[in-house]
Structure formats: structure tokens, C-alpha cells
Amino acid sequence: MNDPRQRARHLIEQDTISLNRLWVRYWTHGGTGTVFDLDAYLYEVQEPTPLQLQSLSLALEDLEDTE
């Protein structure tokens, strides 16, 4: 599985999506971390589980579908 953290960081840094909006999408796809956990995952301060990475990938796919 590709690591979606780099793409998510890029979208946030480019103001394409806010961390909070990304977190809501991540949460709706089964992510169980808080918004602070997601931030730590994206900037590699905390290591996400495979399930958390999958939830982030699905959230990013949703963004692609709505663009």
C-alpha cells in the first residue's frame, strides 16, 4: 500500500483542504484517531496503524472524486 501521508500534507500545505475537514473524511472512513493524532500521523511524529493509513487513503480518494 502506498503511504498517503505525503499527499495529505501537500494538500493541507497548499490550502486545498484543512486538517479538520480531512479529519472528518478520515473519521467517516473508519479512522479512530483524534484530529491531533491525524496531525501527528501526517508529520510522522506518531506511527499510524495500517487501518489508520487505509482510512486516510479512502479519505483522499473521496477528495479526488469530488474535484
Side-chain angles (χ1 to χ4, degrees):
M1 174 187 348
N2 291 334
D3 189 337
R5 292 179 287 187
Q6 184 178 7
R7 177 153 165 39
R9 282 192 309 264
H10 178 75
L11 291 173
I12 290 170
E13 291 166 0
Q14 297 299 313
D15 290 326
T16 302
I17 192 168
S18 70
L19 177 62
N20 287 333
R21 287 190 62 216
L22 178 60
W23 176 79
V24 168
R25 289 177 184 266
Y26 153 85
W27 186 79
T28 60
H29 287 288
T32 58
T34 66
V35 69
F36 300 110
D37 291 328
L38 180 59
D39 191 40
Y41 297 156
L42 296 183
Y43 290 94
E44 300 181 32
V45 174
Q46 185 176 346
E47 189 63 32
T49 66
L51 176 63
Q52 303 313 316
L53 285 176
Q54 181 181 11
S55 297
L56 179 57
S57 290
L58 292 171
L60 292 170
E61 285 178 21
D62 267 0
L63 285 175
E64 292 173 358
D65 291 343
T66 60
E67 289 178 350

